[in-house]
């Protein structure tokens, strides 16, 4: 519970008032005693002081001196409050000019210490909010730039080859079919990119609710690996599921989770061909299922690992649309896993590259 600043200031001011009265009485009494002692034996000075006091009256002179001393004591005791309020006011004015790194400096034991602390927290949150807004704006601009680039490249090719066809600039039917095939492939590329972008946007803004149901993760991974057999054979690779658990139950959206592991397997097949195999390892650890999708291709540099799940990020900047995906697959996978209350991470060394997914399970 926060202290009541008004009550603290009121009671401390009241205490300062009483203390000032007592100190003024003591001070005036000592002053009179000292003056009386100093003028003893000096009739001229004593007579002059009595004449000076006689101008106002002895009682009035005593009250005037007492009031002056009281005000001096009370002002001195209250000065800390005025000084702290002045500091707070100057700090607020300085912060309002955009200096969000500034902090209000007030002693914690002061009644205004809590207020200063709260103001510093408020300024810190405002600074973080502005930083987040700037990052969001930068992210939006980068997203627009990346989308424009990735859409423009295949679209330019489609328009170029269709233009050649429309202008009858081909030698024979074989070349015509070649142009049509290229335009079709580029259109497919556009279709995949637009679908991935749409899926990423929906996942980012939680636009589609999860259709949760109880499912066996072991069975799902086994079926998915069977579906990938043709793609694995075409790439000269083998795939295997390693699990001692015949049943790992969790509550999730099967279609969304299949998308996660499809993306990871596609990534492993695309960039791990040199290793000739893909391993899926499944185990339980307390209340969490851990799935590792490992390939044995080229190592991912450590500098790239923190950014793998950012949208449009590619490890090899030279990869084209033939050798690289849309750049959204891992970002989509991360969004789906996090919506299921899980985590996804990546690690890579000279031996293997592993994508690890942690998902909460149903304890039986």
């Amino acid at each position: 519970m926060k202290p009541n600043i008004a009550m603290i200031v009121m009671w401390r001011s009241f205490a300062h008032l009483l203390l000032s009265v007592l100190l003024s009485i003591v001070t005036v009494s000592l002053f009179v005693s000292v003056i009386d002692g100093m003028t003893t034996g000096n009739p001229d000075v004593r007579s002059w002081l009595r004449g000076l006091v006689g101008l106002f009256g002895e009682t009035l002179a005593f009250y005037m001196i007492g009031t002056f001393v009281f005000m001096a004591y009370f002002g001195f005791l209250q000065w800390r409050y005025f000084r702290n309020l002045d500091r707070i006011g100057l700090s607020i004015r300085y912060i309002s000019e955009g200096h969000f790194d500034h902090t209000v400096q007030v002693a914690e034991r002061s009644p205004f210490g809590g207020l200063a602390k709260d103001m510093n927290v408020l300024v810190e949150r405002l600074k973080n909010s502005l930083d987040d807004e700037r990052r969001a704006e930068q992210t939006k601009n980068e997203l627009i730039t990346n989308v424009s680039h990735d859409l423009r490249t295949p679209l330019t090719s489609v328009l170029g080859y269709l233009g050649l066809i429309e202008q009858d600039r081909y030698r024979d039917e074989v070349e015509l079919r070649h142009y049509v095939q290229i335009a079709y492939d580029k259109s497919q590329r556009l279709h995949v990119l637009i679908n991935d972008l749409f899926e990423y946007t929906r996942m980012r803004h939680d636009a589609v609710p999860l259709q949760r149901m109880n499912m066996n993760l072991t069975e799902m991974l086994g079926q998915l690996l069977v579906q990938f057999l043709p793609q694995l054979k075409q790439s000269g690779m083998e795939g295997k599921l390693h699990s001692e658990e015949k049943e790992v139950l969790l509550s999730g959206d099967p279609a969304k989770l299949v998308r996660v592991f499809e993306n990871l397997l596609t990534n492993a097949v695309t960039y791990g061909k040199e290793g000739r195999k893909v391993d899926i390892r499944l185990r339980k650890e307390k209340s969490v299922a851990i799935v590792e999708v490992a390939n044995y291709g080229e190592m991912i540099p450590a500098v790239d690992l923190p950014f793998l799940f950012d949208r449009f990020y590619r490890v090899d900047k030279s990869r084209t649309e033939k050798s690289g995906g849309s750049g959204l697959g891992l970002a989509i996978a991360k969004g789906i896993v996090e919506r299921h209350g899980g985590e996804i991470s990546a690690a890579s060394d000279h031996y293997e590259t592993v994508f690890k997914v942690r998902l909460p399970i149903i304890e039986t």
Side-chain angles (χ1 to χ4, degrees), residues 80-99:
R80 286 186 303 170
Y81 293 160
F82 305 143
R83 181 183 59 186
N84 287 334
L85 285 174
D86 184 58
R87 285 180 177 175
I88 292 174
L90 290 174
S91 295
I92 291 175
R93 192 176 304 114
Y94 188 68
I95 292 170
S96 68
E97 295 173 355
H99 303 92

Side-chain angles (χ1 to χ4, degrees), residues 1-68:
M1 183 178 178
K2 292 288 185 181
N4 191 321
I5 297 177
M7 290 294 296
I8 293 175
V9 172
M10 185 187 74
W11 283 111
R12 288 197 180 184
S13 297
F14 183 68
H16 290 168
L17 182 66
L18 292 179
L19 182 59
S20 298
V21 169
L22 292 175
L23 288 174
S24 61
I25 292 174
V26 173
T27 301
V28 171
S29 298
L30 289 174
F31 178 75
V32 171
S33 299
V34 169
I35 293 298
D36 186 62
M38 291 176 62
T39 57
T40 301
N42 195 335
D44 292 335
V45 176
R46 195 178 188 88
S47 175
W48 180 78
L49 287 174
R50 283 183 177 178
L52 183 62
V53 171
L55 293 175
F56 302 97
E58 186 174 341
T59 303
L60 181 59
F62 178 80
Y63 279 123
M64 287 176 62
I65 295 172
T67 301
F68 176 78

Side-chain angles (χ1 to χ4, degrees), residues 178-231:
H178 178 63
Y179 289 170
V180 171
Q181 182 64 45
I182 293 176
Y184 176 77
D185 291 341
K186 300 295 182 180
S187 299
Q188 287 289 95
R189 164 73 179 174
L190 277 174
H191 179 70
V192 170
L193 179 60
I194 291 171
N195 283 344
D196 283 351
L197 182 62
F198 184 60
E199 180 72 17
Y200 172 75
T201 304
R202 292 196 306 170
M203 193 60 55
R204 184 178 177 85
H205 296 93
D206 295 337
V208 180
L210 296 177
Q211 304 296 324
R212 288 185 177 271
M213 63 178 65
N214 292 347
M215 52 183 290
N216 184 355
L217 187 58
T218 306
E219 183 179 347
M220 186 195 79
L221 291 174
Q223 292 175 354
L224 187 60
L225 196 57
V226 171
Q227 295 173 14
F228 261 78
L229 282 178
Q231 188 174 342

Side-chain angles (χ1 to χ4, degrees), residues 98-135:
H99 303 92
F100 296 111
D101 293 327
H102 180 73
T103 56
V104 182
Q105 300 294 333
V106 176
E108 291 187 5
R109 57 184 179 180
S110 166
F112 303 105
L115 176 62
K117 186 177 181 180
D118 291 342
M119 288 182 60
N120 290 333
V121 171
L122 176 63
V123 171
E124 181 67 23
R125 289 180 178 175
L126 176 61
K127 181 176 178 294
N128 292 337
S129 177
L130 291 174
D131 290 342
D132 290 341
E133 185 177 346
R134 292 191 191 98
R135 282 194 293 268

Side-chain angles (χ1 to χ4, degrees), residues 214-336:
N214 292 347
M215 52 183 290
N216 184 355
L217 187 58
T218 306
E219 183 179 347
M220 186 195 79
L221 291 174
Q223 292 175 354
L224 187 60
L225 196 57
V226 171
Q227 295 173 14
F228 261 78
L229 282 178
Q231 188 174 342
L232 288 167
K233 287 184 178 179
Q234 185 178 358
S235 300
M237 303 177 72
E238 295 180 354
K240 189 173 182 180
L241 174 63
H242 305 268
S243 177
E244 296 181 357
E245 308 289 343
K246 294 185 178 181
E247 186 177 69
V248 178
L249 295 178
L250 57 83
S251 175
D253 188 324
K256 295 289 189 299
L257 289 176
V258 164
R259 180 71 186 274
V260 170
F261 296 108
E262 279 181 347
N263 285 342
L264 296 182
L265 281 170
T266 299
N267 188 78
V269 172
T270 303
Y271 304 124
K273 293 181 181 179
E274 295 178 3
R276 298 297 181 184
K277 65 177 181 176
V278 176
D279 288 324
I280 301 178
R281 300 189 284 262
L282 171 62
R283 68 180 187 276
K284 287 197 296 186
E285 191 174 283
K286 296 182 180 179
S287 59
V288 174
I290 300 177
V291 182
E292 295 178 345
V293 179
N295 71 78
Y296 305 89
E298 185 178 351
M299 182 184 76
I300 298 175
V303 68
D304 291 307
L305 286 175
F307 308 103
L308 284 181
F309 301 97
D310 292 352
R311 77 283 176 280
F312 293 112
Y313 189 83
R314 293 190 178 99
V315 174
D316 185 353
K317 308 302 184 296
S318 64
R319 279 176 182 160
T320 64
E321 58 196 56
K322 292 182 179 180
S323 61
S326 66
L328 289 170
L330 292 179
I332 293 171
K334 180 181 179 182
I336 294 173

